[in-house]
Amino acid sequence: MVPKDVREFITTLESTGDLVRIREAVDWELEVGAISRRSSELGGPAVLFEQVKEYPEGFRILGGPLATWRRLAIALELSAETSVREIHRVYEERVKHPVKPVVVKSWSHRRHIMQCNDIDLFRFPAPLCHELDGGRYIGTWDVVVCRDPDTGWTNWGMYRFMVHNRRFLVGAPSPASHLGMLLKQKFIPTGQPMPVAVVIGADPLCSLVAATGFRPGESEADFAGALRQEAVELIKCQSNDLLVPANAEIVIEGEVLPQAAAPEGPFGEYTGYRREADHLGVLMRVTAITYRDSPILTMSCLGVPPDDSSVAGALGVSIGLKRRLLEHGLPVTDVFLPPEGASHLVVVGVKQGGSAMAQRVRDILTGRRAWYTKIMVVNEDVDVFDMRQVWHAFAVKCHSFRGIFLTQQEGVGSELTPCYSKEERERRVGAIALFDCTWPPEWSQSDIPVKMSFDEAYPAEVKNKVLNKWSRYGFK
Amino acid sequence: MASSSGWETRNEGAQGKRYLAFVARPENLLLGEPLCLFIKELTPGRRKYEARFVRAVLSSGEGSHEGDTLLLSSLSGRAHQGTLVIKILEDLGDYLTGSPYRRHSGFFRAESRQT
């Protein structure tokens, strides 16, 4: 069984050596963030902070739940040693079979509730993640639930939310995100508040699909069920009609006000940098908070990769991009967003290469949003999940003059991309470098250099002999 | 005295409470006249970093023993050396009216000296 909630996940991680419990009291102001950040950068374990200064015993923080491939594999109920390729394969296979959620009525988990004047966001140990962040972020590894008022489509996304004061959160969902689009198209014009729920400490696979971004109209809850291979249990909120994961640790219910704003950020982001917080944020008035006994606040202290965003967040995005390319009829073998690329670098494997094919790949990946600023297209003999092979292909197969294609589009870039100037961010310029690392299709077989690797430079009988005798030669 | 963030704090004896504001151009803040801005509570405790939207008068603090201390940061989170004195005149509520996604600088221009 996959972990049904964060608590089961913690137990499993502990049994595999992928979690450290810190029982000594730690400071929510920077210390929690610094520990999590260092552990992420070292590829270390998740961290359960059991005692947070100034907070009652039991109010805990889990840092970096899915910041390594091992933890991701464990969340999917695979062996911790599962390869990156196999994790992608399993994810891709499972999401082909969505499982509808079930709605439950019993309120067995979150038996604590704050309403009306009792609401106080400062009762939770929201961390100040990095020095001179704009405030304390309670939503860094969350599931934000909202709904299209016309179609009834419910969206789950992962958006950062900062504690503004006792009763308000302020967030920064991009205007191009699903929540941002619904807010701008359906609520700001009508002046109606937008019901939302910020779910903290959902089971790891619910969080994973929220970090992924499926298409408008698709249900992340169905995909979470697909990954779990059993239905997700949902329960209705106390103060609105949204359905949220029943097993979550903390649910902050409220409404985004269409005619209200406050400063949000700055915040150290998944790009590994902190940029100017130059737009006013989205303000959420809290209407109720429910939480479990001894609630666990899940947190991702984002920054220089790897971390939850560049590992877990990128997994679903890779599969989504592959699906999109296949739907357009492209002969794609695999897609990978390497963690070091901080969701800016995409590697695409294709069966038939060439510059025309590479440019089709680029056009499809960047049509709506040019957030992937570097795209490498490689032949299928290159394992896209092995960056040593990818760098080799880039170095020797990408023609430095005719294999690099530079383009720029207005209105589709990400404002978080560190290399953009202020003026480029205002115009949301999307600058893309395409690296065609494939052989030109017009080359004949005799024109193509012969690859000198173990797999390709030796006959099968020699390879078999060497493999069979490998340990006898003295190798371990 | 320089803090770990690079702030220089003024005469300890003149300090009351401490606040932090993120502004586009800390060096251009309007001094000596009422202005509106968001500040963060820095008093130790659970409410540290709570936001307040206030009307206040800022001053360089030289010779002043009235008011609290305001630390400043750029909008990207770089500490601005030197602090100001802030005298809070009134709280203005929880938020600004108007739709989100507006540029920060449009709001802050009103508090800055014309340059």
Side-chain angles (χ1 to χ4, degrees):
Chain A
M1 295 284 286
V2 293
K4 76 175 191 320
D5 60 14
V6 164
R7 294 172 195 225
E8 274 194 13
F9 187 48
I10 286 170
T11 303
T12 309
L13 290 180
E14 199 159 28
S15 70
T16 58
D18 289 278
L19 180 125
V20 166
R21 283 178 192 267
I22 297 184
R23 295 186 170 86
E24 180 182 334
V26 292
D27 202 328
W28 54 263
E29 185 174 15
L30 299 180
E31 188 178 5
V32 163
I35 294 168
S36 297
R37 181 99 289 278
R38 181 161 164 74
S39 188
S40 285
E41 289 180 15
L42 294 173
V47 189
L48 182 65
F49 300 98
E50 295 201 321
Q51 181 68 56
V52 182
K53 284 180 185 171
E54 298 171 353
Y55 284 86
E57 197 170 335
F59 280 66
R60 298 168 288 172
I61 300 174
L62 174 65
L66 294 180
T68 62
W69 295 112
R70 283 178 60 87
R71 301 206 278 283
L72 200 44
I74 292 165
L76 289 162
E77 208 195 0
L78 303 172
S79 157
E81 319 296 334
T82 304
S83 70
V84 176
R85 170 180 286 284
E86 180 64 6
I87 291 171
H88 279 70
R89 192 196 66 74
V90 168
Y91 184 107
E92 182 179 7
E93 187 54 36
R94 287 193 193 170
V95 294
K96 288 177 184 167
H97 310 287
V99 178
K100 291 277 176 207
V102 294
V103 179
V104 298
K105 292 205 164 98
S106 97
W107 199 253
S108 58
H109 295 309
R110 289 187 305 281
R111 60 192 193 86
H112 302 275
I113 183 164
M114 292 183 210
Q115 289 173 299
C116 305
N117 291 333
D118 187 38
I119 291 169
D120 185 358
L121 290 160
F122 289 100
R123 289 191 15 210
F124 300 96
L128 185 77
C129 289
H130 320 89
E131 186 178 32
L132 281 175
D133 274 354
R136 300 172 61 175
Y137 276 80
I138 198 166
T140 56
W141 192 249
D142 56 16
V143 178
V144 179
V145 182
C146 63
R147 189 164 55 203
D148 185 321
D150 299 326
T151 66
W153 166 58
T154 295
N155 174 249
W156 290 4
M158 188 172 278
Y159 306 105
R160 72 190 201 200
F161 270 94
M162 180 177 93
V163 176
H164 179 65
N165 61 21
R166 282 182 57 184
R167 296 197 51 180
F168 285 88
L169 292 176
V170 60
S174 159
S177 69
H178 292 154
L179 188 151
M181 286 194 298
L182 282 176
L183 179 63
K184 290 191 85 163
Q185 293 168 9
K186 305 282 176 87
F187 292 93
I188 289 177
T190 64
Q192 292 297 309
M194 176 185 197
V196 288
V198 178
V199 179
I200 296 163
D203 77 72
L205 297 181
C206 285
S207 300
L208 180 60
V209 297
T212 293
F214 290 89
R215 283 181 274 207
E218 292 185 326
S219 163
E220 281 85 3
D222 293 4
F223 290 117
L227 293 179
R228 293 173 56 80
Q229 302 181 93
E230 65 179 21
V232 174
E233 291 187 346
L234 302 178
I235 194 163
K236 193 171 85 64
C237 284
Q238 291 287 292
S239 60
N240 60 42
D241 289 333
L242 294 173
L243 296 170
V244 295
N247 58 12
E249 295 287 327
I250 303 165
V251 176
I252 304 172
E253 304 172 11
E255 51 193 17
V256 169
L257 304 181
Q259 287 301 323
E264 190 276 345
F267 181 67
E269 266 289 357
Y270 70 90
T271 62
Y273 289 88
R274 182 168 59 200
R275 290 225 67 146
E276 222 175 30
D278 51 4
H279 287 88
L280 293 169
V282 164
L283 202 75
M284 171 183 166
R285 175 162 51 206
V286 179
T287 51
I289 304 175
T290 56
Y291 61 100
R292 296 177 69 161
D293 289 333
S294 303
I296 300 168
L297 194 161
T298 45
M299 176 198 74
S300 179
C301 185
L302 296 177
V304 172
D307 54 31
D308 305 86
S309 170
S310 56
V311 175
L315 165 65
V317 175
S318 298
I319 302 302
L321 296 179
K322 180 180 175 183
R323 187 169 64 145
R324 198 190 306 170
L325 292 167
L326 289 172
E327 284 171 356
H328 280 80
L330 270 61
V332 171
T333 54
D334 274 302
V335 176
F336 183 47
L337 273 71
E340 299 80 4
S343 297
H344 281 65
L345 170 64
V346 187
V347 185
V348 180
V350 291
K351 287 178 185 162
Q352 294 101 39
S355 62
M357 178 64 68
Q359 290 180 78
R360 283 189 69 196
V361 167
R362 176 202 59 204
D363 293 346
I364 291 166
L365 295 188
T366 59
R368 188 169 76 87
R369 292 194 299 205
W371 290 7
Y372 317 109
T373 59
K374 317 268 184 318
I375 299 170
M376 289 180 172
V377 180
V378 298
N379 290 117
E380 64 178 325
D381 64 310
V382 174
D383 181 352
V384 301
F385 302 105
D386 180 352
M387 286 308 289
R388 289 177 304 180
Q389 292 189 38
V390 173
W391 286 124
H392 176 243
F394 169 68
V396 302
K397 290 175 71 176
C398 178
H399 192 286
S400 299
F401 184 73
R402 60 173 189 270
I404 300 174
F405 301 86
L406 304 177
T407 53
Q408 195 160 276
Q409 300 174 56
E410 298 273 330
V412 292
S414 166
E415 295 180 343
L416 294 175
T417 298
C419 62
Y420 289 158
S421 69
K422 192 168 187 170
E423 185 263 336
E424 285 172 320
R425 276 182 291 135
E426 279 176 27
R427 288 163 42 217
R428 291 186 52 230
V429 166
I432 302 149
L434 168 66
F435 303 97
D436 173 18
C437 311
T438 64
W439 300 126
E442 62 272 18
W443 283 13
S444 68
Q445 196 64 23
S446 60
D447 289 334
I448 296 175
V450 181
K451 192 174 183 181
M452 291 294 107
S453 68
F454 177 76
D455 279 344
E456 284 150 274
Y458 304 94
E461 63 268 29
V462 173
K463 286 193 287 188
N464 289 335
K465 178 181 175 186
V466 167
L467 289 173
N468 290 334
K469 295 174 71 177
W470 193 246
S471 57
R472 284 169 55 194
Y473 295 140
F475 294 99
K476 290 186 179 174
Chain B
M1 185 175 75
S3 72
S4 62
S5 299
W7 281 305
E8 301 216 345
T9 54
R10 70 197 175 98
N11 183 340
E12 294 293 325
Q15 284 187 28
K17 294 184 74 170
R18 282 159 42 108
Y19 298 96
L20 167 63
F22 291 83
V23 294
R25 292 196 183 89
E27 64 281 7
N28 285 352
L29 274 171
L30 183 68
L31 302 183
E33 292 179 35
L35 54 76
C36 304
L37 81 167
F38 283 91
I39 57 175
K40 302 276 183 181
E41 177 71 63
L42 290 184
T43 303
R46 279 202 212 173
R47 298 202 177 287
K48 191 171 181 184
Y49 295 103
E50 182 168 27
R52 287 174 69 181
F53 184 31
V54 299
R55 197 164 70 90
V57 176
L58 307 183
S59 64
S60 66
E62 287 177 18
S64 169
H65 292 279
E66 276 190 43
D68 299 314
T69 301
L70 182 66
L71 310 180
L72 296 168
S73 167
S74 71
L75 294 181
S76 61
R78 290 191 189 278
H80 179 70
Q81 290 208 332
T83 60
L84 296 175
V85 172
I86 178 170
K87 189 170 182 186
I88 297 172
L89 304 176
E90 62 176 325
D91 279 282
L92 296 173
D94 293 310
Y95 51 80
L96 279 166
T97 52
S99 58
Y101 297 126
R102 284 172 291 154
R103 292 191 61 75
H104 236 275
S105 51
F107 168 66
F108 281 109
R109 198 169 295 128
E111 289 105 45
S112 302
R113 287 195 296 259
Q114 297 301 308
T115 54

